[in-house]
Amino acid sequence: MKFRLALLLATAFSTPVLAADLAPKSVDPVPPVPAAFSWTGFYVGGHLGGIWNGGNLDSRATTVAFFDKSAVVSRSGFHSDPGVISGVQAGYNYQIDQFVLGIEGNVDLTSGHNNYTVNGNTLNPFPFQLPFNETATTSLKDSSRWAASLRARFGYAFGQWLPYVTAGVGVRQDKLSGTTIFAPFGGTSSVSDTKTQVGFVGGAGLEYALNEHWSVRGEVLYSWYPKHKLRFDNADTATSSVVSSKPRTIAATVGVNYRF
């Protein structure tokens, strides 16, 4: 009798424990894993900045009025004040792991120029001083009002940061002019011409994605264009000119992109 009573008591006390063990346990929810940021897709945007115009400027102006003397002027490098560049861009990126490959085209309006003026070069053909001197004042100017390029881009993404390099083909309007005034015996040699040039554009930039659609960037581009050469013979003033330029530009811009 005592054994049966002990068995019944043991069964009564163990039942709640077994029920608690068999009840389903609550599971903490697993937070969703955010999708990795991707640069793949089309984008359009705009940019604004400064542009420095440089390169070689050369002029050889000749007059026969004073013993067939020539005024030779030449300068290279970046010496003129910067201009303004503004434009729009559009492109496509494709991301493979952290590597980002892309292509971009842009169209720009530009100001500024590369110019050089030499005042009063003395053209004395004799080894002794004369009471007068033939002088030549020369002004050279190379400028552009618009430019465009089509470039490949290669970047390495660090999440929402994208440093990149870029290179491709550039096109721009190039206006070249040169004037030499001989005095006191007279004669003015002047020449001007505008043409479209095709050259090389390359540089680097850094872009940061603010969110899924908007990003901001900074970029520096160097442009190289072939020689633009002019010749002008003026029979009325007995003068001639050969003027040339090898345009180079450096553009530093900041911009914004909208990515689809």
Side-chain angles (χ1 to χ4, degrees), residues 150-228:
L150 181 64
R151 295 171 283 108
R153 299 206 315 168
F154 177 78
Y156 190 84
F158 297 91
Q160 292 172 247
W161 290 95
L162 179 64
Y164 62 89
V165 294
T166 179
V169 178
V171 181
R172 82 166 204 160
Q173 174 208 62
D174 186 67
K175 183 177 182 181
L176 174 63
S177 61
T179 300
T180 299
I181 301 174
F182 295 95
F185 296 105
T188 298
S189 180
S190 182
V191 62
S192 179
D193 179 62
T194 301
K195 68 183 296 185
T196 300
Q197 293 184 300
V198 178
F200 165 83
V201 179
L206 177 63
E207 191 165 0
Y208 176 71
L210 300 172
N211 52 44
E212 183 181 354
H213 294 292
W214 292 98
S215 62
V216 293
R217 76 180 191 185
E219 186 176 70
V220 177
L221 296 178
Y222 174 82
S223 301
W224 174 96
Y225 292 94
K227 179 183 285 189
H228 185 182

Side-chain angles (χ1 to χ4, degrees), residues 111-123:
S111 67
H113 52 266
N114 182 21
N115 68 302
Y116 186 37
T117 299
V118 176
N119 295 313
N121 276 350
T122 300
L123 305 179

Side-chain angles (χ1 to χ4, degrees), residues 45-52 82-89 104-111 147 149 151 153 164 166 201-208 215-223 249-257:
H47 55 269
L48 175 69
I51 184 169
W52 289 259
V84 176
I85 181 171
S86 61
V88 295
Q89 70 270 359
E104 178 176 299
N106 66 281
V107 179
D108 299 317
L109 297 177
T110 66
S111 67
S149 70
R151 295 171 283 108
R153 299 206 315 168
Y164 62 89
T166 179
V201 179
L206 177 63
E207 191 165 0
Y208 176 71
S215 62
V216 293
R217 76 180 191 185
E219 186 176 70
V220 177
L221 296 178
Y222 174 82
S223 301
T249 67
I250 298 174
T253 62
V254 292
V256 60
N257 285 326

